[in-house]
Amino acid sequence: MTDVLTIQNLTKSFGKETVIDGLTFSVPEGSIFGFIGKNGAGKTTTMKMTLGLLAADSGEITVCGERVSFGQTATNRHIGYLLDVPEFYGYMRPKEYLWLCGEITGLENAKIKSRSEELLKLVGLAGINKKIGSFSRGMKQRLGIAQALLNEPKLLICDEPTSALDPVGRKEILEILRQVKDKTTVIFSTHIISDVERICDRIAVLDKGRLALSGTIAELKAKHKSGGFTATFDAGTDKERVLGVLAENHLQPIGVEETEQTIENLFMEVIL
Amino acid sequence: MRAYLAFTKKEFIENLRTYKLLILLAVFLLFGVMSPLVAKLVPEIMQNLGIGGIKITLPEATAMDSWVQFFKNVGQIGLLVLAVVFAGIMSNEFSRGTLVNVLTKGLKRHTVIFSKLTAAALIWTMSYLLCLAVTYGYTVYFWDMGELQHVFLAFFSMWLFGLLLVVLLILGGTLFKTFIGSLLLAGGAVVAMTLLNISPKIQKYNPVTLCGDNTALLTGVKNASDFVPAVIICIALVVVLTTVSVVVFDRKQI
């Protein structure tokens, strides 16, 4: 498996504050790569350097084997980029916007037309012809994905694509990302761990500008086995009886916890 | 080239749908109508006022009064409106983050500057020509046009100064990323040029002459040689400042 993106010894500071401190990792082709970290951990900075929007202080970034340079970088033709809150020209309609993107990126007219229709259908915006200014955040996010995938990029970089959305919007975006996985490698930054578990197969955890953890989810889980386990019973089960049976067999649990209904589940039940 | 045309088209759609084009055309149409009407009507109104029984007699208005009004309106409030309308030309893109998508799609950074300059320059040209045509029409209708000197130079100078203003706005927006920064750089430059104009030696090299003394050129009080050096310097400034904008923007972290 070749690497679509490699980052070597990357360093970046803003003033005296070091945001990225000797970061090294790579993203193999065909993966959905979860890039995890707290707010301010340096995720967006790393992504912007990958796109040539910010200048790195030192280190090297390559995309599909080509080196990224600050400012005008040819490597962007391999990349589709989705911001956390993508901004569009509010006075344009979705098709006009995709047309503009297509012309900028140098697609043929026939190709722009077919790709636009295909992608608007994929993201569920087919037939919507109102101005982007009146879109909800979720709709903008979906248009953002369509825009990012227009030139069939080898690498799709999504910067917290789900963070600003409600649970329904999040689920839709994750579903779309899962669907495009066969055609493009996806890097997906987030601080929502459950989203990562849902769709990613590899992760890197960024902390204070350094890599704290990385590998495939399966590897990491195998390596960091807790040894303990959780058993969950139906709501109707008699707790005392279960504990009794355990005690009879000399099995002493270190803790007993009653499962609470999660608000996320409740929300989903009410909304859907 | 295709990206340049596409982005320039986007600029026109933007100016059309955010009413900037409409505002400029309306304002300059208004000036076009107002200049000859004010020249025509003010002496008549004054004559009929008869303040305190004193009869005010003003000389009959001429075509030149209409042009005086034209250059005063366009050169002052007209340029101010132009500056306010286009002060957000760069800063809107920075503050709203709309450039990220198009730049990561492979749009060359200098194309952004050239497209914006093209669109703003064309809209300024349209507004100016509209104003000029309307004033000309009324002036010919009301008066005998008489003998005008250096017609092309007089009108071209004002247009060129407007173009310099647009370039300054783009440079200010690129440097400071804000609406105010854009306006302050352009305003500051105009103030500085006006201050420099105190020295008579500098006047014929100073671009601000191009929007101030146009009627003196029309009447022949001033000669082409009083304007041409300023025209050359203004053209040079337009080229140099545009280049500076491109270089600055290329190095801008977004």
Side-chain angles (χ1 to χ4, degrees), chain A residues 42-43 93 147 196 204 220 235 245 249:
Chain A
K43 304 185 295 281
R93 298 172 203 284
Q147 164 273 130
V196 173
L220 288 172
V245 171
N249 292 290

Side-chain angles (χ1 to χ4, degrees), chain B residues 185-197 208:
Chain B
L185 184 88
V190 174
V191 169
M193 287 189 282
T194 312
L195 288 178
L196 281 176
N197 229 25
V208 84

